[in-house]
Amino acid sequence: MHYETFQNLILAWMLVAVAVFLLLLRIVAPYGRHTSPKWGPLISNRLGWIIMEAPVLLLVAGFMISSAARQNAMSWTLAGLFMLNYVNRTFVFPFRIHTKGKKMPLVITFSAIGFNLVNGFFLGYFFAHFAQYQAADFLTPNFLIGLPVFFFGMYLNWTYDNRLIHLRAPGSTGYVIPRGGLFELISCPNLFGEIVEWTGFAILCWNLPALAFLVWTLANLVPRAISHHKWYQQQFTDYPKGRKAVFPFWV
């Protein structure tokens, strides 16, 4: 595939992300607390997470291994950071969440597989065929800025995922208002952290596939955070009035 064709496909894919973003602002995706049988067959929440996250990990790893002869320490580092997130999402996070009896619509699982496969293909194909990173890139502003942003976002994402997992008392099944830290500013600091993480990754890679991944992250997570925020406001009359959905002091 010519690089120009590759770029045009990614630009078209980002336009799809904009359309999906606008759609998700109008409908509530059946995810987590918004799950509903009206969206079709359901499967175990834990199994759904594994099925939908594993393909992108395997796809990017496959591209890297098949093109190992042209890869260097920089490209392995960047791909490794990407895969680190998906190792957690595939093999750690699903076994930590309290999912006993919880279900996920198959439509969510399959749509996530499609999202992951397309984004993973673009990123993996870029590394396999077009990436021209050098050893000196470890000292560029992109790397020196992007790396701490990436890990700071990952820290926020993992930390607030963990706090949400342990929010309920043992044996409790109800929802409570999250308190403390970034929860005092936004309803979804875990999603904010994920956005920060992939912003750092886009800065690190400084390529179109990584930017497309960030655009799709925003298209998926911002509407999800807004839906969660509205749900909290509807469920709790004492929900903090000044708290935003995902971006402190903004949205």
Side-chain angles (χ1 to χ4, degrees), residues 93-149:
F93 181 76
F95 297 97
R96 297 187 64 241
I97 53 178
H98 300 159
T99 60
K100 186 176 181 180
K102 290 190 175 182
K103 301 291 184 179
M104 174 188 296
L106 274 173
V107 66
I108 288 292
T109 303
F110 286 123
S111 64
I113 290 173
F115 156 80
N116 283 332
L117 285 178
V118 176
N119 280 295
F121 169 80
F122 283 136
L123 196 64
Y125 195 90
F126 177 86
F127 279 120
H129 297 280
F130 302 124
Q132 295 182 344
Y133 296 112
Q134 308 295 325
D137 290 336
F138 283 108
L139 299 177
T140 61
N142 293 54
F143 190 85
L144 297 176
I145 295 171
L147 190 66
V149 172

Side-chain angles (χ1 to χ4, degrees), residues 67-241:
S67 62
R70 73 177 305 273
Q71 304 302 336
N72 58 23
M74 185 64 181
S75 56
W76 277 111
T77 298
L78 297 177
L81 292 173
F82 180 86
M83 289 187 285
L84 174 62
N85 175 83
Y86 280 95
V87 167
N88 174 67
R89 285 296 181 190
T90 305
F91 300 114
V92 179
F93 181 76
F95 297 97
R96 297 187 64 241
I97 53 178
H98 300 159
T99 60
K100 186 176 181 180
K102 290 190 175 182
K103 301 291 184 179
M104 174 188 296
L106 274 173
V107 66
I108 288 292
T109 303
F110 286 123
S111 64
I113 290 173
F115 156 80
N116 283 332
L117 285 178
V118 176
N119 280 295
F121 169 80
F122 283 136
L123 196 64
Y125 195 90
F126 177 86
F127 279 120
H129 297 280
F130 302 124
Q132 295 182 344
Y133 296 112
Q134 308 295 325
D137 290 336
F138 283 108
L139 299 177
T140 61
N142 293 54
F143 190 85
L144 297 176
I145 295 171
L147 190 66
V149 172
F150 176 85
F151 278 115
F152 178 62
M154 178 178 285
Y155 165 79
L156 292 177
N157 179 235
W158 291 11
T159 296
Y160 284 97
D161 271 346
N162 186 62
R163 290 182 65 167
L164 287 170
I165 288 170
H166 295 95
L167 191 60
R168 300 188 187 97
S172 173
T173 58
Y175 286 93
V176 299
I177 299 175
R179 303 282 187 181
L182 278 178
F183 280 120
E184 299 305 316
L185 298 177
I186 52 179
S187 295
C188 302
N190 57 325
L191 302 185
F192 172 69
E194 191 166 350
I195 291 169
V196 172
E197 179 182 349
W198 295 119
T199 299
F201 186 73
I203 295 170
L204 273 168
C205 293
W206 208 250
N207 61 43
L208 204 54
L211 176 61
F213 196 93
L214 174 59
V215 170
W216 269 96
T217 297
L218 290 165
N220 279 309
L221 297 192
V222 172
R224 185 187 307 173
I226 292 172
S227 296
H228 286 355
H229 183 65
K230 290 180 178 177
W231 183 91
Y232 277 124
Q233 291 175 321
Q234 293 167 358
Q235 294 296 315
F236 301 100
T237 56
D238 58 339
Y239 198 69
K241 301 299 182 184

Side-chain angles (χ1 to χ4, degrees), residues 13-84:
W13 180 235
M14 286 194 283
L15 288 176
V16 175
V18 174
V20 168
F21 172 74
L22 296 174
L23 176 64
L24 291 178
L25 288 177
R26 298 177 61 87
I27 65 170
V28 177
Y31 177 88
R33 70 201 66 184
H34 309 291
T35 297
S36 170
K38 72 179 182 180
W39 287 87
L42 305 173
I43 63 169
S44 160
N45 197 32
R46 178 174 288 125
L47 178 61
W49 267 103
I50 296 170
I51 292 174
M52 71 187 188
E53 302 291 13
V56 68
L57 176 63
L58 298 174
L59 184 62
V60 173
F63 269 117
M64 293 301 293
I65 292 170
S66 66
S67 62
R70 73 177 305 273
Q71 304 302 336
N72 58 23
M74 185 64 181
S75 56
W76 277 111
T77 298
L78 297 177
L81 292 173
F82 180 86
M83 289 187 285
L84 174 62

